[in-house]
Amino acid sequence: RDWSSDVCSSDLARLSFVEGTVSFKAAGTEQWVLAVVNRPLSVGDELWTAAGSRAELELGHADVRLDAQTNMEFLNLNDHFIQVRIGQGAAQAHLERLDEDDEFELDTPQAALTLLRTGSYRVNVAADGAETVAMALSGPMEAASGTQTFQIRANEQARIGNAAPDAVNCTVSAAPPLDAFDSFVDARERRAPLGETEQNVSPYVVGRSDLAVYGTWQTYPAYGPVWIPRTVPPGWAPYRFGHWVWIAPWGWTWVDDAP
C-alpha cells in the first residue's frame, strides 16, 4: 500500500517503555511527576531518567531512547519537523522513514544535529553541558555549531566542546564500539518483526510497533484486517483499566494501562 497520502500523526509522541524511575514535566509547569507508559507527549514536555533507568519514546516513523540520567525536551513536534533537545545524558534516535520534506533535529548545548537519512544516531552530552559527542551510527548527520557547519558520516563520531565563549572545537574520529546502552536499543528494535502490521498500518501511526508483540491479525469479511490482543485481564472493558489526564491541545485524554 502507498501510505504517502495518509494523514500523519507525528504531532505527538508516546512513552512506550519505562525501566526504573522516569520523571515527566508537562509544558508550562514546574512540577515533575512519575512518568507512566502510554503517556502522550507534545511540544514543551520534558523527561528525566534517574540513575539506572531508561525510557523509550515512539513517534510512529521514529523512536527516541534515553539512557540513565538523561534530560530530554520536545522543542518542535509536528508532521514534518521534529526537534528534540538533549540537555545531558545519552539518547539514540532511530529513523524508520524520512520523507523529502521531513526534518529531524537533535539539539545539544554545543550543536544542532540534523539527521539526513533513515538510520540510527546517538548523542552523549556531559553532565555539566560542556561537551557533546555526536555519533552517526548508520546514517549521516549535519552539525551546526556556532558559525561552523560540518557533516558526520556513517560510522563516525564528532566530539564538540566549548573552546571559549561563542567558540567551539570539534574532533571527528571513528565511532566507538557498542556499549550496554546500544545493546539495550538493539534488543528493543528486535522485539518482534512487524509482519502483517507493516501492510495494515501506516508507519506514521504511533503505537504500531507494539501490535505484533501483543496481538495477531485476522481478516473478517465485513471489516478486512482486524488486530486482536492475545490476552486481556479478567473483566476487561474499554476505559476500565487506566486513567484520564488533561493534555493540551487535545483536552481530556485516556491513558490505558495495557502495554
Side-chain angles (χ1 to χ4, degrees):
R1 177 178 175 182
D2 178 12
W3 298 108
S4 59
S5 61
D6 283 41
V7 175
C8 301
S9 59
S10 57
D11 55 347
L12 63 87
R14 165 186 171 243
L15 184 59
S16 52
F17 177 83
V18 167
E19 179 180 86
T21 301
V22 178
S23 300
F24 165 80
K25 182 162 74 75
T29 71
E30 297 300 326
Q31 181 181 9
W32 288 91
V33 298
L34 194 66
V36 295
V37 171
N38 288 331
R39 166 78 194 212
L41 283 82
S42 191
V43 174
D45 291 345
E46 290 188 59
L47 286 179
W48 166 256
T49 53
S53 304
R54 287 175 174 142
E56 175 186 80
L57 291 151
E58 186 184 0
L59 293 87
H61 67 305
D63 298 303
V64 176
R65 297 179 174 98
L66 310 178
D67 202 6
Q69 295 181 296
T70 298
N71 170 251
M72 186 225 73
E73 179 184 2
F74 281 111
L75 301 181
N76 278 288
L77 190 59
N78 58 54
D79 290 346
H80 298 293
F81 182 37
I82 296 172
Q83 186 181 21
V84 180
R85 182 188 67 83
I86 305 298
Q88 76 168 75
Q92 188 175 136
H94 175 78
L95 271 64
E96 180 183 341
R97 178 165 174 166
L98 190 68
D99 292 336
E100 186 176 351
D101 55 350
D102 290 346
E103 187 174 350
F104 198 112
E105 183 177 294
L106 296 174
D107 287 355
T108 76
Q110 280 70 43
L113 305 163
T114 300
L115 314 187
L116 302 178
R117 301 284 188 275
T118 57
S120 296
Y121 305 83
R122 174 172 166 173
V123 294
N124 293 358
V125 180
D128 62 2
E131 182 180 72
T132 293
V133 179
M135 306 178 197
L137 301 179
S138 60
M141 69 170 89
E142 182 177 85
S145 182
T147 59
Q148 306 173 49
T149 302
F150 52 92
Q151 279 208 6
I152 307 167
R153 296 175 296 184
N155 300 314
E156 288 185 344
Q157 71 171 12
R159 190 175 295 274
I160 309 168
N162 295 328
D166 302 321
V168 297
N169 56 35
C170 176
T171 303
V172 177
S173 61
L178 302 183
D179 62 12
F181 180 45
D182 296 310
S183 298
F184 159 77
V185 170
D186 185 62
R188 292 294 299 171
E189 290 288 340
R190 297 178 182 273
R191 282 179 303 151
L194 285 174
E196 293 177 83
T197 300
E198 195 163 20
Q199 284 74 50
N200 297 328
V201 182
S202 163
Y204 288 96
V205 172
V206 173
R208 79 165 190 154
S209 63
D210 278 330
L211 296 180
V213 179
Y214 295 107
T216 58
W217 290 90
Q218 295 185 26
T219 300
Y220 289 83
Y223 303 106
V226 175
W227 182 84
I228 301 172
R230 291 190 181 91
T231 59
V232 294
W236 181 89
Y239 305 109
R240 179 168 292 176
F241 300 98
H243 64 281
W244 291 94
V245 61
W246 180 270
I247 301 177
W250 306 291
W252 287 109
T253 302
W254 176 255
V255 179
D256 205 275
D257 288 343

